[in-house]
Each structure stands twice: as C-alpha cells, then as structure tokens.
Amino acid sequence: NDTKVIDHWLDRMLDLFQQPDTGIVGARLVYADGSLQEAGGVVFSDGSGWNYGRNDEADRPQYSFVSETDYVSGACLMLRRTLFESLNGFDSYYSPAYYEDTDLCFRVRAQGLKVMYQPAATVVHFEGVTSGTDESGGTKRYQVINREKFIQRWQAELSHQPESPPPLPEQAQNDLDHNDVNPSDRVRQLRYHRFAKRALIIDAVTPTPDQDSGSVRMFALLKLFGQIGYQTSFMPSNLAWAGVDSVRLQQAGIEVLTAPWVNDVEEWLVEHGRDLNLVLVSRHYILTPLIRLIRHYCPNAQLLFDTVDLHFLREEREAEVNASAAALREAARTRRAELSLIERSDATLVVSGFEARLLNELKPEARVQVVSNVHSLQSAGNAWADRRDVLFVGGFQHPPNRDAAFWLIEEILPQIREHLPEVKLHLIGSKMPDAIRERRAPGLIVHGFVADLEPYLNTCRVSLAPLRYGAGVKGKVNQAMSHGLPVVATTCAAEGMYTRHEHDVLMADTADDFAEQVVRLYQDQALWEKIAANGRDNVEQHFSVAAAERALSELLRELES
C-alpha cells in the first residue's frame, strides 16, 4: 500500500534467480522525488544498520551494480515460494512490525543462500505511510523493541558484522529504517565488507563481448576478479557510458565508472586511489599517460599491465607483410613504449606462451604471466553430414582481420570453389568497412555484424583463420573450437593456441595450401570429427574459465608474497 512499481521491475528481479545460490532479491527503493532510499542494507554488530545511499542521487555508480547485501527491506522483497514456506514466512516473533524482513534475510543467509540487491528494478517507496516515523508511539515504537529481539536471536552472527561507525553530527541514531545522509566515503567500505580487496580495471572502451574476442576476455577477467575476492570497478578511458554494454557489466556485479559521475581519471584516483589493492590497465597507449598518476595516488596497489597482445609484435609483422619502412619505425616506437611499461609495472599479462617466452628474453627480470582468452565449451552443434559452407568471423576494426578477409576473398575462396563449387563463404564481423561490405564474388555472402553467431557456428562445416600477421591468441579460433567447429588456420593465427597440425587444427600459410586444407577437411568426415573433438579438448584444457582463474590466482599470490 506504500509502493509504486516502475516498468520491468519484476523481470529484472527474476533475472537474479538464474543463479542457484540466490535466496532473496531486493529492488532499488527511491523516494517520490527520485532520490535514493535504499540500495541494499548494511547490518552492524550492534543490530543497527544503514540503508546504503539514503537521500543520495540514485544513479551514482556505487548504487548501480548488482551486489550481495546484508538485508533488503520488505517494501520490495522477492524469494521463492517454497523457501518462504519452508521458513514459515515472516516470524510472528516480530509482530506487529519491524525487523521481520531483516530477520528473514538472516534466516535465508543461514541456509547458505545470498541476499542480492538489483539496481535495475526500481520501486518508489512512500516511507512512513503505514506506520509513521515517530518511534515513541504507535506501531513505529516496535522498531526499537524488535531491534532488541533481533540482537538476542542473532547475537552470534552479529559478532561477524562490521562495527557501527561513529554517528554523524546531529544524527539521532542509525537503525534499519531511520538514518541521515551517509557520505559515500564513509559508507563505501561498509558496503564492500564482504570483499577483502578492491580492484580498478581500466581499458580503452567498455567491453563488447558480442563483437570481439578481446572484449570476451576482458569481460571474463572482470568477473574473475570478483570471484577471487576483489570488489571490482571498471573505468573506460574515454569515460563514455556505453548503454547495454555498461549495463551488462553492472549486472555482473561490476561498478562502472563513467561520465557524468566521473569526468576526470585523476580526480577519481585522488579520492579513491588509496583504497585500491590492485590496478590493471590494458594496452600500452592507455597505461602510458596514467602510470605516473597510478603510482602516485594508489600507493597500496599492485599495478598489472595487460598487453592484450604485444602490439609491437603485431606491428612488426604487419610492416614485414607490407614491406613498409615507415611502419617498421612505428613498431620500434611501440616496442620501446611497451617494454618501458613492463619494467615499471609489478607484473605483465600476455595471452600466449610465445609472447611470454619472447618477453622473458627481452626483459628477463620482469614478472610475466599468461592469462589467455577465456571460453566455455558450447553445444557441439550439428554433425558433419548436417553442415555445409565455410565461415570467417572477425572484428574489422582490427587490421589483421581486414587483411585476412581480402586475402581470403581474392586468392583462397576461388581455389576452394574450384573443388567445391557449391560452397559459400559466410563473412561476419563488426565494424566492417565498405570496401568489404560492398564486395561481390562468387560464393561470397557478406553479413556484417551478427548478434547471434550460434546458427553459423553450429551449421557451417569449417571455420577459416587466414591471418597473415598479428599477435596474441585469436578468439575466432577459440570460439570455433569451443563449438566443435574445426578450424583451418595460418601459423600466425594458431600461434600460442597449444595446437598441433593434424591433431586439433589444420595449418597452412600460402593461398594454395590453405585452400587445399579447407577442401580436405570439408570432404573427410573422419578427419573432421577428430579435429572437432580435439579442438574442444584444447579449449577445455587451456582456455576455460578455470584455467584463467588458476593463472590469475597464481600471479596474485606471488605478488602478495
């Protein structure tokens, strides 16, 4: 009788029950004027608590990501009916009102389940409409009475909760339904009390995991830091809000730092840098202007340089393919920049063993760790007999993919079709330039960006990776293997993938040889089935979430020792 729901509130709360350990979900409660009433709650060791963010602006980053919390108010609280009934509902011990919702959250947590806050579900709460706000009389007086009951029941559990901070000036008390504005610098640590550490991750832009493999890896890393004990914040260097892509991070439990809430990286580091235990920055051109600021304002943080791939290696190879002296000079500048950052960072991440060995030769004193692409095994898709055509997938903002597409269309596809005239090449990828999008050739089907690749990965017979230069590990190869789609790749494309020719991939480096291997794999069912099965094994062993977590945890243990 004292709430007003906002569109999609129910669907977004239900979303969190896809996680089997979710016990209760609460919404973002706002006042009629749009200011925040509650973004979950913190319960202190004395039984008092804070509604996190009360009276602040509701859209601030610290209130906008999914998070575990101590309790959520009964103004909007969702749990499974079976669980509610097994606990006999709200306990009449707290009749007529107050603390029954907090008690229920604690009883659900005692079942090994989590109480979650969902910021994407917004509910207007007209606080005090039912029972008023005067604790000295009426139903509202039970807020004080029931607090003592709550303390008696949960004394053991409360001993593990944070201590109540000193009261703010002129603050009467901090209890579960009555507290004044809490400055974020006083409450931030309390909200994150389940996390022993805090991490800040900076990349060029917000990850788009439906468009490129680098984003798939970054998204996986962001989630992994949370799983191994870091409250994780992400900041794109352009500070731009990226709509659905930013929301995707928030729904994964990651704080997203963008304008208008963050307008200057240095200002944010001045305010919060001392709280950080780890800073990871991707790409040399992002870290170069920031490294001095990070070292100055984040004195307690380990600095990780995530190369993504060694840019100088890719640029050197491109210069060689194009026989460009100017490009070779630019690659030399990149080499100096990356090696300098490696020297000044506490550790460096690379995506392949090849790159790790190269850096060990160039900078033997540096701590280098392989944290490669991250993929989960998918459905194996259709059998050989129920598949047809060949597939190329790549983000076309990446120069090696543009070069590969032209080489494939102009030199390789015609030779494939000499032997397999019915075969079509499906060319798929984001940010496709007009020169490729408008290209016409026999057997060529240009799709551009495709939101859902599953139909192609599950029905095409061979995936192609004809990269003539590049560095790092190629997501297109991982992705195809994870779906049981065999790959024909150049040596460059298969580099760092732990692959073997004729075992889990076929390799070729000239147009003639590449086309020959495609035709061979396309026609040989036994070979196709062997490569498909071994490719899936390769992904599970080297590129799974578990493999990335092992590598990252090992590095962090070394840094802490």
Side-chain angles (χ1 to χ4, degrees), residues 418-555:
E418 285 182 11
H419 300 277
L420 303 169
E422 78 286 358
V423 164
K424 296 179 176 59
L425 165 63
H426 296 273
L427 203 66
I428 296 174
S430 61
K431 300 179 176 65
M432 186 178 286
D434 291 342
I436 296 177
R437 184 184 302 278
E438 296 170 2
R439 189 62 185 269
R440 300 292 179 266
L444 175 64
I445 301 177
V446 179
H447 296 273
F449 172 70
V450 171
D452 183 10
L453 287 173
E454 295 283 330
Y456 301 93
L457 293 166
N458 291 336
T459 62
C460 287
R461 190 174 287 183
V462 180
S463 178
L464 311 181
L467 300 181
R468 296 195 293 175
Y469 64 90
V473 171
K474 314 308 180 294
K476 61 174 61 62
V477 178
N478 291 136
Q479 184 181 49
M481 286 179 166
S482 71
H483 284 78
L485 174 59
V487 179
V488 177
T490 57
T491 304
C492 176
E495 181 181 83
M497 306 286 295
Y498 308 96
T499 53
R500 286 183 288 145
H501 179 57
E502 303 273 357
H503 177 72
D504 41 19
V505 70
L506 296 184
M507 293 189 218
D509 287 323
T510 68
D512 293 350
D513 290 344
F514 199 98
E516 180 183 343
Q517 296 298 337
V518 173
V519 172
R520 177 184 168 216
L521 183 58
Y522 198 93
Q523 294 178 323
D524 188 332
Q525 180 177 353
L527 175 64
W528 187 95
E529 290 173 347
K530 181 183 82 169
I531 298 294
N534 290 341
R536 285 170 61 82
D537 290 344
N538 176 291
V539 171
E540 186 170 25
Q541 181 176 355
H542 300 291
F543 301 101
S544 64
V545 174
E549 184 172 0
R550 285 194 301 270
L552 201 55
S553 297
E554 176 186 340
L555 173 63

Side-chain angles (χ1 to χ4, degrees), residues 42-64:
V42 180
V43 178
F44 300 116
S45 57
D46 63 358
S48 65
W50 264 339
N51 303 129
Y52 187 72
R54 191 180 181 95
N55 294 322
D56 203 351
E57 295 175 276
D59 292 331
R60 286 188 178 278
Q62 58 263 44
Y63 313 132
S64 299

Side-chain angles (χ1 to χ4, degrees), residues 239-256:
L239 298 177
W241 174 256
V244 64
D245 296 309
S246 296
V247 171
R248 183 188 288 113
L249 295 182
Q250 293 174 333
Q251 288 295 295
I254 297 152
E255 182 182 35
V256 177

Side-chain angles (χ1 to χ4, degrees), residues 44 46 50 163-169 171 173-174 182-183 186 190:
F44 300 116
D46 63 358
W50 264 339
E163 291 187 8
S164 178
L168 295 167
Q171 182 175 357
Q173 69 179 55
N174 293 316
N182 304 316
R186 300 192 66 183
L190 292 170

Side-chain angles (χ1 to χ4, degrees), residues 189-349:
Q189 292 293 344
L190 292 170
R191 190 186 184 203
Y192 303 147
H193 70 83
R194 284 182 173 77
F195 293 92
K197 299 170 184 176
R198 290 202 58 206
L200 171 66
I201 316 298
I202 303 176
D203 201 352
V205 295
T206 300
T208 53
D210 58 342
Q211 296 187 30
D212 64 273
S213 64
S215 291
V216 172
R217 174 177 174 272
M218 174 52 73
F219 187 44
L221 287 180
L222 285 163
K223 292 188 290 185
L224 274 177
F225 276 110
Q227 293 171 20
I228 60 180
Y230 286 84
Q231 190 284 313
T232 305
S233 302
F234 174 78
M235 182 186 294
S237 68
N238 62 2
L239 298 177
W241 174 256
V244 64
D245 296 309
S246 296
V247 171
R248 183 188 288 113
L249 295 182
Q250 293 174 333
Q251 288 295 295
I254 297 152
E255 182 182 35
V256 177
L257 303 170
T258 63
W261 310 109
V262 178
N263 292 301
D264 183 84
V265 177
E266 183 172 5
E267 287 181 6
W268 192 93
L269 292 175
V270 168
E271 184 175 359
H272 302 291
R274 286 189 171 274
D275 297 332
L276 298 173
N277 304 99
L278 183 144
V279 179
L280 181 149
V281 183
S282 285
R283 307 171 208 277
H284 72 93
Y285 53 88
I286 302 300
L287 180 55
T288 295
L290 294 178
I291 190 166
R292 182 188 61 81
L293 300 177
I294 293 169
R295 286 305 196 189
H296 181 69
Y297 294 117
C298 309
N300 305 313
Q302 300 281 355
L303 174 59
L304 304 188
F305 171 33
D306 179 20
T307 62
V308 182
D309 60 37
L310 285 176
H311 287 55
F312 77 78
L313 182 61
R314 170 163 48 84
E315 291 176 3
E316 287 172 354
R317 289 170 171 175
E318 180 180 7
E320 292 169 3
V321 167
N322 296 324
S324 170
L328 199 57
R329 288 192 295 272
E330 183 62 32
R333 283 191 288 270
T334 301
R335 174 188 280 250
R336 289 192 294 271
E338 288 189 293
L339 294 181
S340 172
L341 293 173
I342 290 167
E343 287 180 346
R344 299 162 67 190
S345 300
D346 295 302
T348 297
L349 305 186

